[in-house]
Amino acid sequence: MEVGMLPISASKRGKLLAAGYTSLHSISRASASQLATDIEVSEDEACEIRKYASQTSALDRSIGNSSNTSNLYGGQTAWTMLNEEKFSTRITTSCVDLDNILGGGITCKEVTELGGVPGIGKTQIGIQLAVNVQIPLEYGGLGGKAIYIDTEGSFMVERVLQIAEACIEDMPEYSHHFHNNVQDCEVKMHPNSILENIFYFRVCSYTEQIALVNYLDKFIEEHKDVKIIIIDSVTFHFRQDFDDMALRTRLLNEMALKLMKLARKFCLAVVLLNQVTTKYIEGSYQLTLALGDSWSHSCTNRIILFWNGDERHAYIDKSPSLKSASAAYSVTTRGIRNSNSSCKRIKMV
């Protein structure tokens, strides 16, 4: 039984998740004063939340005992999983059309792969998500921080500042598109604080990349407000200097498994940016995402970015919970936004 089932308001559930309280046990273990500080409520409210958590946890145990069931460590019921999905948190992409096909944005507790040709906007989407994860709770965001792992040297801090400034300016306007219950209030964020909340790591080899992924568990334990990990790109160092392809596959699978565990353990989103390669299919060479067929099973969601004429599109190629669909998006000076054609359609309505 998880936080989503507590009989408290949705805003308080969101604050609990954003503060890293992803299980009833973690709530019960915290003191009332610590809980009150972390989710910005009174100590009386914190005591009430802890009481609900204890009661719900006890009820869950009694139901499990009466049914003579015993779960392995880490196991959960399908009912619990369904309720988790109902209350799963998402990070907006700032493109309404793209968010719509994603069910509201990039989902936490999942690994999402975005791949496409150079210039399609992969890094731009990564930077946008690193900024948007910091949208405050009162605007329907997570109020979290980001880890950005740069393997190619494509991270541009000037571009981050530009997108951060636009995010703050547009927040009152586009937050209503994603969260209708948001009330108008003064935005107190500053672009510099957004930059301070992005933890940047530059890695220059596949061994450094693997070592960093292994270190992330400890790092996030010390920075529990991290709500997204972005690797740009996951591919780069694994496409060079690898004669032993079996070793490469094993290393990639181990890394993917660790990233999945981080996503579940800390209720955060993992976004892996991927490159493209050519593959011989039905008598001709076609573009496909890099790292081979086995890698395609390592992510929860796979989104392919492509050009349709002079317009960028995103296509959901694989997902256990989302239907296949595509949406147009634009890379603008202000970041990721709806495509020009979508804006024209909106104006005509």
Side-chain angles (χ1 to χ4, degrees), residues 150-168:
D150 183 6
T151 68
E152 301 184 25
S154 56
F155 185 86
M156 301 163 288
V157 69
E158 295 83 2
R159 180 60 170 151
V160 181
L161 180 61
Q162 192 177 35
I163 291 176
E165 290 172 342
C167 177
I168 293 172

Side-chain angles (χ1 to χ4, degrees), residues 73-90:
Y73 175 77
Q76 58 182 164
T77 66
W79 173 251
T80 302
M81 293 172 66
L82 177 63
N83 282 284
E84 278 186 356
E85 287 189 12
K86 288 181 180 178
F87 296 102
S88 59
T89 50
R90 291 177 169 83

Side-chain angles (χ1 to χ4, degrees), residues 218-236:
K218 179 181 178 182
F219 183 86
I220 299 172
E221 283 283 0
E222 298 170 356
H223 303 83
K224 289 186 181 294
D225 42 6
V226 168
K227 290 302 168 187
I228 191 170
I229 300 170
I230 301 155
I231 303 183
D232 180 13
S233 69
V234 69
T235 325
F236 185 70

